[in-house]
């Protein structure tokens, strides 16, 4: 059983991807309004302690991956695909100074942008939340529908601490990230079937 764990894990990841596709369409029959498809992949390289962190996946253009696709796992957002070859792809992690994730509070429609300051692999910073927004420690953050990369509702993290300076119109917010970026094995790549239509419009 031990020597078959790798094969079992691969099969489970593939099955989970199929179940996510099925959940999105909510039917065993294909529907023309299906917006997202999920492709499972294994992480074969990962960094989390640099200023610009990346992951490498064991799937590429041959499997339908494209630059700009979102990547997540069962815990939350992982990052965005940057480079793609035939059999491999690199992912710009949330723990990358150039990554920006559109997010909102689960309990309200107040939204902002998640950035990483390059310090701790456990925390990121939420910007553009105006001072009149009601927030508290422990509030959950999820992806919002403003992005064409991620579907709405994928976990990002929770508010760890915040402050509001009298001279500023925005909060300084620290987010406790939901993903342990030092321990990522299998991920899901998100393909938005409506992305081209939305961008064209």
């Amino acid at each position: 059983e031990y020597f078959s764990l790798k094969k079992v894990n691969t099969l489970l990841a593939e099955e989970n991807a199929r179940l996510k596709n099925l959940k999105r369409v909510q039917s065993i029959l294909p529907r023309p309004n299906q917006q997202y498809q999920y492709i499972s992949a294994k992480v074969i390289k990962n960094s989390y302690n640099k200023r610009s962190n990346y992951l490498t996946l064991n799937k590429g253009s041959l499997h339908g991956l494209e630059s700009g696709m979102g990547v997540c796992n069962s815990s939350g957002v992982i990052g965005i695909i940057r480079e793609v070859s035939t059999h491999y792809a690199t992912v710009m992690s949330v723990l990358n100074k150039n990554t920006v994730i559109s997010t909102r509070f689960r309990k309200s429609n107040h939204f902002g942008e998640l950035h990483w300051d390059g310090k701790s692999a456990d925390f990121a910073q939420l910007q553009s939340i105006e001072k009149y927004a009601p927030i508290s420690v422990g509030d959950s953050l999820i992806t919002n529908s403003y992005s064409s990369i991620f579907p709405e509702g994928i976990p990002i993290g929770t508010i760890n601490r915040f402050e509001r300076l009298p001279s500023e119109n925005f909060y300084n917010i620290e987010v406790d990230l939901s993903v342990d970026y030092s321990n990522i094995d299998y991920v899901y790549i998100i393909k938005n079937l409506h992305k081209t239509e939305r961008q064209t419009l």
Side-chain angles (χ1 to χ4, degrees):
E1 290 181 354
Y2 176 82
F3 291 106
S4 67
L5 283 178
K6 181 177 180 180
K7 181 179 179 181
V8 170
N9 283 337
T10 301
L11 292 174
L12 286 174
E14 296 287 353
E15 179 66 16
N16 282 337
R18 287 194 293 269
L19 289 174
K20 282 179 175 289
N21 288 329
L22 185 61
K23 182 179 179 181
R24 286 292 173 184
V25 300
Q26 296 183 359
S27 170
I28 61 173
L29 298 176
R31 284 173 23 181
N33 63 342
Q34 179 183 0
Q35 185 172 355
Y36 297 100
Q37 288 183 346
Y38 294 83
I39 305 166
S40 68
K42 181 176 176 57
V43 176
I44 59 175
K45 187 177 181 181
N46 179 26
S47 65
Y48 58 90
N49 55 6
K50 302 176 181 179
R51 283 284 295 171
S52 298
N53 293 291
Y54 290 88
L55 302 90
T56 302
L57 308 181
N58 69 342
K59 290 188 178 178
S61 60
L62 186 64
H63 309 91
L65 273 61
E66 299 175 1
S67 177
M69 287 182 172
V71 181
C72 68
N73 66 6
S74 57
S75 298
V77 172
I78 299 294
I80 301 170
I81 290 184
R82 183 70 179 271
E83 302 291 340
V84 179
S85 66
T86 304
H87 298 98
Y88 301 97
T90 58
V91 179
M92 192 167 64
S93 168
V94 168
L95 304 182
N96 188 304
K97 57 184 175 60
N98 295 316
T99 301
V100 179
I101 305 295
S102 182
T103 181
R104 74 168 179 86
F105 288 92
R106 185 182 294 276
K107 69 177 185 180
S108 73
N109 288 319
H110 293 288
F111 63 92
E113 295 179 341
L114 188 80
H115 297 258
W116 186 59
D117 63 5
K119 297 179 181 179
S120 171
D122 298 320
F123 303 102
Q125 291 65 47
L126 181 60
Q127 300 177 0
S128 304
I129 301 296
E130 296 185 330
K131 61 183 180 181
Y132 59 76
I135 66 174
S136 57
V137 171
D139 283 349
S140 296
L141 296 166
I142 57 175
T143 54
N144 66 23
S145 59
Y146 292 179
S147 168
S148 61
I149 298 174
F150 295 100
E152 187 171 27
I154 299 178
I156 291 177
T158 57
I159 302 299
N160 185 59
R161 64 182 179 86
F162 65 92
E163 63 178 349
R164 187 182 68 189
L165 302 178
S167 60
E168 297 182 0
N169 292 323
F170 299 93
Y171 286 108
N172 293 323
I173 302 175
E174 183 179 75
V175 177
D176 186 358
L177 296 168
S178 60
V179 172
D180 179 1
Y181 293 92
S182 67
N183 184 27
I184 304 174
D185 192 8
Y186 284 90
V187 297
Y188 300 107
I189 298 92
I190 304 166
K191 184 174 183 177
N192 184 352
L193 303 178
H194 297 175
K195 183 175 181 179
T196 302
E197 177 185 353
R198 178 171 173 174
Q199 291 178 336
T200 301
L201 182 64

